[in-house]
Amino acid sequence: MNKKIRWITQTAVMLALLITLQTLMKSFGQLVTGSCVNAVLAISVLLGGVACGVTVAVISPVLAFLLGIAPQVLTVPAIMAGNTVFVLVLYFVAGKRGILWRSIIGWIGAATAKFITLYALVAGLICGVLAEDLLSAGLMKPPMVQALPATFSWPQLFTALIGGGIALLIVPLLKKALKK
């Protein structure tokens, strides 16, 4: 099969899976939905490669906002950045080699990097440095300035660890089934 067609197909399947999981799991809360999203991100990059993973990482928060999962439009670029950092660290450390120790380091490093990125952008930048300007412009309300840092702190680390762990268990089975 042509590489371009394979990439389009894999990316489309991952996006379809992402939309389905976000829609079905959104009523279960951040822990379940976020873990599912992170699992799809990790599977995308470990099976489909870096371009597939980054594409899914960037489109995911837009879909989350449209489905009413992302709490604020201002967080969409931050989530894009966090997701992209997650897939890039996972890809460049774990890669497609399937070496257990590299996969574990990549998984923990990717989850930690995503957590740090999201916390810095949302708590530090949006709800910190830019908060007064966003409040005075009417782009945010005071309750959001207080709620967002909690949403984009430790839960992000936990969901990335859970989702990445699930992916590390599933990817070898998928590779075997797909004969990759």
Side-chain angles (χ1 to χ4, degrees):
M1 179 187 293
N2 179 317
K3 283 186 178 188
K4 190 171 188 175
I5 293 171
R6 177 178 289 155
W7 178 84
I8 291 169
T9 305
Q10 288 175 330
T11 304
V13 167
M14 290 295 112
L15 286 170
L17 179 60
L18 182 77
I19 292 167
T20 302
L21 288 172
Q22 283 181 323
T23 303
L24 294 175
M25 299 298 157
K26 90 177 193 179
S27 64
F28 290 99
Q30 181 181 8
L31 184 66
V32 174
T33 306
S35 298
C36 290
V37 168
N38 283 300
V40 173
L41 291 173
I43 292 167
S44 297
V45 74
L46 293 173
L47 275 183
V50 71
C52 178
V54 170
T55 301
V56 175
V58 170
I59 294 174
S60 168
V62 175
L63 298 173
F65 179 74
L66 294 174
L67 292 169
I69 298 167
Q72 170 66 259
V73 71
L74 295 171
T75 63
V76 170
I79 299 168
M80 286 177 174
N83 287 350
T84 301
V85 165
F86 179 76
V87 299
L88 290 175
V89 170
L90 189 57
Y91 179 79
F92 288 113
V93 177
K96 291 186 171 190
R97 295 167 196 83
I99 300 169
L100 182 60
W101 69 270
R102 286 183 66 103
S103 296
I104 292 170
I105 291 170
W107 160 48
I108 294 169
T112 304
K114 178 177 183 173
F115 157 69
I116 291 168
T117 301
L118 282 170
Y119 191 75
L121 290 174
V122 176
L125 184 63
I126 294 171
C127 295
V129 175
L130 301 176
E132 285 298 319
D133 293 334
L134 295 171
L135 287 167
S136 64
L139 296 173
M140 284 183 68
K141 297 190 185 319
M144 290 301 284
V145 174
Q146 300 212 332
L148 287 177
T151 302
F152 288 92
S153 63
W154 296 109
Q156 296 299 324
L157 178 62
F158 298 139
T159 59
L161 285 169
I162 293 167
I166 291 168
L168 289 182
L169 294 173
I170 292 174
V171 166
L173 301 172
L174 290 172
K175 284 183 177 182
K176 187 174 181 180
L178 297 170
K179 295 180 171 98
K180 277 192 147 192

